[in-house]
């Protein structure tokens, strides 16, 4: 499991870099236009991904800033958002490098922002959600880019493994 999560952390950073590179080619109006994704625009979806990762990483590590709403806009400008995304991806990669099998299997308790209850589950399940959540919303980013008329991005894990992720093969 450790190797799998470390690979997913590396893939996550790579895939985010692809999306941000495509976003950098957009006009401000395109970046902010509502294209029907859950959070509307590419701007708001990318902010949500950073928000969610910060919330989960605060839960996992006990450190860092955690927004109190899932739709918070942390950064208005793409360059600031991109820098924060890169730093968060590096944080996720570094943290997964510290994990061991016992920690992954151990119970983990947190309270969702959307419910005032405590949830206890193995850490591995919550970590799986973090990566799956990223993939889900990056798919919406991809849809947003293609709806604007931009080229389709190759974000599949296998493309990462065949290029910059060869060490995981």
């Amino acid at each position: 499991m450790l190797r799998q999560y470390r690979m997913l952390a590396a893939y996550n950073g790579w895939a985010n870099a692809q999306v941000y590179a495509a976003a950098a080619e957009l006009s401000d109006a395109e970046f902010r236009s509502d294209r029907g994704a859950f959070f509307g625009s590419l701007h708001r979806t990318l902010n949500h991904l950073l928000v969610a990762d910060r919330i989960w990483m605060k839960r996992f590590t006990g450190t860092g800033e955690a927004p109190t709403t899932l739709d918070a806009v942390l950064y208005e400008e793409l360059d600031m958002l991109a820098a924060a995304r890169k730093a968060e991806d590096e944080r996720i990669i570094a943290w997964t490098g510290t994990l061991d099998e016992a920690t992954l299997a151990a119970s983990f308790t947190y309270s969702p922002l959307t419910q005032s209850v405590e949830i206890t589950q193995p850490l591995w399940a919550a970590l799986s959600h973090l990566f799956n959540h990223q993939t889900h919303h990056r798919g919406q980013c991809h849809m947003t880019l293609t709806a604007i008329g931009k080229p389709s991005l190759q974000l599949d894990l296998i493309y990462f493994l065949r290029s910059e992720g060869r060490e995981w093969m």
Side-chain angles (χ1 to χ4, degrees):
M1 295 291 288
L2 286 173
R3 186 165 171 76
Q4 174 80 3
Y5 289 120
R6 290 172 183 156
M7 177 198 65
L8 289 173
Y11 162 72
N12 189 58
W14 173 85
N16 284 334
Q18 306 308 305
V19 171
Y20 274 83
E25 300 295 319
L26 302 177
S27 69
D28 191 61
E30 289 171 324
F31 181 58
R32 295 174 192 282
S33 67
D34 187 332
R35 296 295 174 157
F38 190 85
F39 289 91
S41 66
L42 188 57
H43 171 248
R44 293 188 65 82
T45 302
L46 292 175
N47 266 281
H48 169 70
L49 281 168
L50 182 59
V51 163
D53 281 0
R54 285 185 173 177
I55 290 167
W56 280 107
M57 289 302 289
K58 172 83 179 221
R59 290 172 182 162
F60 294 155
T61 68
T63 63
E65 297 177 23
T68 57
T69 62
L70 295 174
D71 62 350
V73 174
L74 301 176
Y75 298 95
E76 284 294 338
E77 302 305 320
L78 178 60
D79 60 342
M80 298 294 289
L81 182 59
R85 174 75 264 164
K86 184 173 178 10
E88 198 66 27
D89 287 341
E90 290 169 358
R91 180 180 180 213
I92 293 167
I93 290 166
W95 178 72
T96 58
T98 70
L99 297 174
D100 58 35
E101 293 290 348
T103 303
L104 280 177
S107 292
F108 167 72
T109 301
Y110 66 96
S111 295
L113 293 182
T114 56
Q115 302 171 0
S116 58
V117 299
E118 281 194 346
I119 296 176
T120 300
Q121 63 190 63
L123 178 61
W124 69 262
L127 186 54
S128 293
H129 168 74
L130 177 128
F131 293 124
N132 187 62
H133 180 261
Q134 276 277 341
T135 300
H136 165 70
H137 284 294
R138 268 195 308 268
Q140 292 179 343
C141 293
H142 180 269
M143 176 277 306
T144 300
L145 289 163
T146 57
I148 294 169
K150 301 302 178 186
S152 183
L153 300 176
Q154 294 184 335
L155 297 175
D156 289 350
L157 175 63
I158 198 67
Y159 292 116
F160 166 70
L161 294 173
R162 291 175 184 163
S163 62
E164 294 167 36
R166 290 182 183 268
E167 71 183 271
W168 302 105
M169 302 261 291

